[in-house]
Amino acid sequence: MHFLQPDKHTRRAFLRRAGQLAFTGAALPTALNLTAMADAAAFNATDYKALVCVFLFGGNDYANTVINYDNASYDQYSAIRGGGANRTAGGIAIGQADMAPTLLNPTVALPGGRQYALHPSMTGLAGLFNSGAAAVQLNVGPLVVPLTRQQYRSSNRVLYPLPPKLFSHNDQQSVWQTSQAEGATTGWGGQIGDLALAHNTSSVLSCISVSGNTVFLSGDQALSYQVSTNGAVKINSLSNNVYSSAAVRAAMLQLALQNRGHVLENEYNLVTARAVGAESAVTGALNAFPATNAPFNAFPTGNNLADQLKLVARLIAARDNLGSRRQVFFVSMGGFDLHDNLVNGQASLMGRLSAALTAFHAATVQLGVADKVTAFTASDFGRTLTSNGDGSDHGWGSHHFVVGGAVRGRAFYGSAPPVSVGDSTTDANDQWHVGQGRLLPSTSVDQYAGTLATWFGVQGAEMNGILPNLVNFNSAEYPSNLGFML
């Protein structure tokens, strides 16, 4: 068995090395658009599309998010997790009757009578699924090559390589976002953004984070432009009067933006000028779409994820003002590392996630771009099916959501894993666990990302430069495109 590795001498690799030698200020405004145009010959953006990554930091518990509901599977789930309708001390199972309002009704039933429901606090997201605006990708996680449980336990890491540093928060967050352990400098969101640069009037606004710095949005040339939930971040001394003096502000602005003889000083001023220009453009565009106007005033309050997605919706509404044709966004929420207090803690988190995504999709519908905007969830990893007494521990595979008008919704994608702890070394019917109910992914992050990237417009050999492991997933059992996008 031989698995392919991406060609290190592709044009993308050459441009990456060239880009690393270029100064960010002088190179970006003009040169990056020229290189992106050459690099993206097959990428033709004449309409608008946006990808929105919703990252759940801490490792979301898959088993209490997309929950086994049919009687046979639920009984197994409840027996392993403990609890249900008569939850015992330490039990973390959700009661079956509590999930009736969030039962998922796919267009095509799952084999073997399997049924799933969402966490009881996720009525909004269940409604999106049942109306066809959302889908569930089952058991997805980082993989280098397809693996069975026997191969996972093999000592032959040449034939059966594993993702680096499994079960580590920082590293698995990085692997999800970059295909590499912590320390990576480019993410697949940013590399997709590289291809969009030539199609946007302001290349700086191709990749936007409303959740601080993120490697996910760092490309070979694309930058992660950071905004707050209130909009663009200003350089106070250059945007506001200093000591109540407009003259002082004007002097500061002149010093910060004038040409300099020293190359590093001049470069610093170019970067500052770009930041000032981007802030002015974003602020002006957002002013045309106030947060108090519909559809933005329908987002729930007291929900930071909803605040982030509201800002994304306003930026999407302002796309023509900003000259944007292709954009990648990053938002997030934390608190999912629930080794303790899983039942109560996750109820609040799932409720906020569901309400925020539901409001965001409703906003895209009102803006007339629902089929142009796709939101998707990601997380460090799933968690153990077994209880540790009051929570669950670090796992691997997990279930995730894809939401939008271009999603082939009301459907499950991938394989429904058996409900098992998976500690047996002899049970041939349960190859999708590696112990304690940790899911061995049956779908790779590269397949998940590749499906989204294809919809966005990435084509041909460019995909291998963005997702280096995708070349190993090109069979009927492990397709490079999972089919959940129209």
Side-chain angles (χ1 to χ4, degrees):
M1 184 181 298
H2 176 68
F3 292 102
L4 299 174
Q5 296 296 326
D7 183 1
K8 294 182 180 180
H9 302 288
T10 61
R11 182 179 59 201
R12 173 172 287 277
F14 170 78
L15 289 174
R16 178 183 296 114
R17 289 190 290 272
Q20 289 169 344
L21 294 175
F23 288 114
T24 56
L28 272 166
T30 54
L32 69 80
N33 280 334
L34 297 175
T35 57
M37 288 172 68
D39 198 28
F43 191 85
N44 184 23
T46 58
D47 58 353
Y48 179 81
K49 285 186 178 179
L51 286 172
V52 184
C53 177
V54 182
F55 206 93
L56 313 178
F57 282 103
N60 182 40
D61 185 277
Y62 77 89
N64 278 10
T65 300
V66 182
I67 308 171
N68 293 279
Y69 186 82
D70 61 280
N71 289 336
S73 297
Y74 179 81
D75 288 346
Q76 293 172 303
Y77 152 87
S78 182
I80 293 170
R81 297 219 113 179
N86 300 305
R87 184 176 295 115
T88 56
I92 56 173
I94 304 295
Q96 189 178 27
D98 297 335
M99 295 183 286
T102 56
L103 176 64
L104 302 181
N105 297 301
T107 302
V108 178
L110 289 169
R114 293 291 294 275
Q115 290 181 296
Y116 285 104
L118 298 187
H119 190 283
S121 64
M122 304 182 79
T123 52
L125 197 49
L128 289 183
F129 180 98
N130 290 331
S131 69
V136 172
Q137 176 64 54
L138 296 168
N139 194 12
V140 57
L143 288 170
V144 179
V145 299
L147 287 176
T148 64
R149 185 171 63 177
Q150 182 179 6
Q151 292 164 348
Y152 164 77
R153 289 182 169 139
S154 169
S155 60
N156 190 339
R157 290 294 162 242
V158 175
L159 284 180
Y160 311 119
L162 298 179
K165 300 183 179 180
L166 285 171
F167 317 125
S168 158
H169 282 295
N170 292 350
D171 292 291
Q172 292 311 296
Q173 290 165 11
S174 180
V175 172
W176 256 95
Q177 298 178 37
T178 73
S179 300
Q180 302 173 60
E182 187 177 21
T185 57
T186 60
W188 57 266
Q191 291 187 326
I192 290 174
D194 282 339
L195 302 182
L197 296 178
H199 304 283
N200 295 328
T201 300
S202 175
S203 58
V204 176
L205 303 180
S206 298
C207 298
I208 300 179
S209 172
V210 201
S211 186
N213 190 35
T214 171
V215 70
F216 175 73
L217 293 182
S218 295
D220 295 322
Q221 281 86 36
L223 300 174
S224 172
Y225 181 71
Q226 298 176 48
V227 297
S228 75
T229 55
N230 294 318
V233 179
K234 298 181 179 182
I235 302 176
N236 286 331
S237 61
L238 303 182
S239 302
N240 303 313
N241 289 343
V242 180
Y243 304 120
S244 301
S245 171
V248 174
R249 173 183 174 273
M252 293 283 290
L253 198 62
Q254 181 181 5
L255 286 171
L257 302 184
Q258 66 185 350
N259 291 330
R260 298 278 185 161
H262 192 285
V263 64
L264 293 180
E265 290 180 343
N266 198 56
E267 184 62 25
Y268 183 88
N269 283 12
L270 285 171
V271 172
T272 302
R274 190 172 68 243
V276 171
E279 183 275 322
S280 177
V282 170
T283 298
L286 289 176
N287 285 341
F289 298 92
T292 53
N293 287 5
F296 318 113
N297 57 7
F299 279 78
T301 59
N303 181 330
N304 183 256
L305 180 63
D307 293 340
Q308 294 175 55
L309 287 171
K310 180 195 294 187
L311 195 281
V312 172
R314 292 176 64 202
L315 288 168
I316 290 172
R319 64 196 180 280
D320 291 337
N321 305 53
L322 295 169
S324 300
R325 292 292 175 266
R326 287 290 190 275
Q327 291 182 290
V328 186
F329 296 93
F330 185 87
V331 299
S332 72
M333 58 188 303
F336 288 91
D337 193 22
L338 293 170
H339 294 276
D340 303 293
N341 196 34
L342 172 65
V343 173
N344 293 330
Q346 198 186 31
S348 173
L349 293 168
M350 292 292 97
R352 282 183 276 152
L353 172 65
S354 177
L357 279 174
T358 304
F360 178 70
H361 178 69
T364 65
V365 170
Q366 292 186 55
L367 292 170
V369 293
D371 63 335
K372 305 298 183 185
V373 179
T374 301
F376 62 95
T377 61
S379 189
D380 319 15
F381 37 62
R383 304 187 77 84
T384 58
L385 184 58
T386 58
S387 169
N388 63 16
D390 192 31
S392 56
D393 296 323
H394 298 182
W396 190 352
S398 190
H399 307 322
H400 284 287
F401 302 103
V402 188
V403 177
V407 175
R408 297 181 191 272
R410 205 176 170 189
F412 296 97
Y413 293 86
S415 301
V419 187
S420 170
V421 174
D423 286 327
S424 171
T425 59
T426 59
D427 185 357
N429 295 318
D430 182 20
Q431 73 157 354
W432 300 118
H433 294 89
V434 294
Q436 294 182 270
R438 290 187 172 100
L439 291 181
L440 170 60
S442 53
T443 298
S444 74
V445 172
D446 289 69
Q447 292 170 277
Y448 185 62
T451 305
L452 294 163
T454 298
W455 170 80
F456 194 74
V458 179
Q459 300 179 33
E462 289 299 339
M463 193 72 79
N464 294 336
I466 293 170
L467 300 165
N469 298 321
L470 191 60
V471 292
N472 299 323
F473 299 89
N474 56 6
S475 65
E477 186 178 2
Y478 293 93
S480 59
N481 191 319
L482 299 170
F484 57 70
M485 298 300 298
L486 293 171

